[in-house]
Amino acid sequence: MERTELTAQDISTMIANPAQMGGIETSVLDNGAGRGTRIAWINTGTGLRYKVVIDRGMDIYDAFYNQYSLAWQSHVGITAPQPFSNKGIDWLRTFGGGLLVTCGLSHVGGPESDEHGERGLHGLISNLPAEIESIIQPDPAAGRMEMSITGRIRETKVFGPSLELRRTISGTLGQPFIRIHDEVINRGNTAAPHMLLYHFNLGWPLADEGADILWQGDWQPRFDPSKHKIFREGGNFRKCPAPLDDHSGAGEEVAFIDPTTDASGECMCGLHNSRIGLALAIRFRKEQLPWLTNWQHWGRGEYVTGLEPGTHPPIGQAQAREEGTLIQLAPGESRTYDLVLEVHSGEVPVQKFRSLFPE
């Protein structure tokens, strides 16, 4: 009889070292612009394996399912953290792409300056190193299949504001999931503005010509509809196109989405490539992250789409304050955020996922 899933007891009778199946391995890069940067390789034992960049806000860079890469990587690659890069568009100098780049904690959007200060593109948090709090390895012999890495990242200065992100990335040996649990807390003694966006960057071969971009909800283009070729009524923004010449350089299009929820209040988005029989789903709770942004940049050699749950679309702190939507965290106040990424392969799992997005 063919086995479809091994239990902890099954595994414990077959192996001496749990690392034979998967787990978490930490290391330090020793070459190039990322030299000295701490990383953690996480192997779920299912074909899903990914790299957490500990020194870059515990963001996720490489991500693979079997032979297929899931994430887009920019020319920049991994660089060491640049904690003073929060000026203008300097953020782009260290934007390596990867499966997840965190934007915030106090500003999401373009550079701006007002009476509340100067803010660079997408904030500081992805350029700050984490203090590792714990690493928990799976131990099938003890009946434990769970694994996790937890760290604290501090976005702070004397006299404030002082925000802290406590992030746990976890999974289960034998299951193709990535779970992210974040808590943002104001450690200062004055109120602090708060914005947060999860910049998931999906690249080839998962993102390829003809692949389906999956989300539901009312949407609006970022700019005047007359300036959009893709995000307009009648536009084919649900499928990845061939590379576009007018997306060379900084060409892009962006939509802000009010995502539809299921009966439990959960939102779902993702990408499905029928050519390789693979789909990636992203689940999040609307009460925590009420917005979804879809970034499309189809340049030659820079081919990527972003699915980005957030507390806000990337409108910036000034506009959010003007609209009355800017979150102000009181001293000691915290907010939590939970997301799950899951890989679907095989006809039945993929079709079950696709059925959640009626044509």
Side-chain angles (χ1 to χ4, degrees), residues 144-159:
R144 187 176 69 236
M145 303 291 278
E146 302 296 315
M147 53 186 165
S148 66
I149 180 169
T150 297
R152 295 179 183 269
I153 307 103
R154 295 178 174 89
E155 182 183 306
T156 185
K157 62 182 179 181
V158 176
F159 307 133

Side-chain angles (χ1 to χ4, degrees), residues 166-210:
R166 183 177 187 267
R167 168 165 289 178
T168 297
I169 296 175
S170 64
T172 303
L173 196 64
Q175 296 184 14
F177 296 92
I178 303 172
R179 300 181 182 91
I180 301 168
H181 174 76
D182 285 350
E183 179 184 16
V184 177
I185 184 169
N186 181 1
R187 294 293 189 185
N189 57 16
T190 59
H194 172 48
M195 302 176 78
L196 181 62
L197 181 141
Y198 294 84
H199 207 299
F200 292 108
N201 305 290
L202 310 180
W204 188 88
L206 179 63
D208 194 5
E209 182 178 358

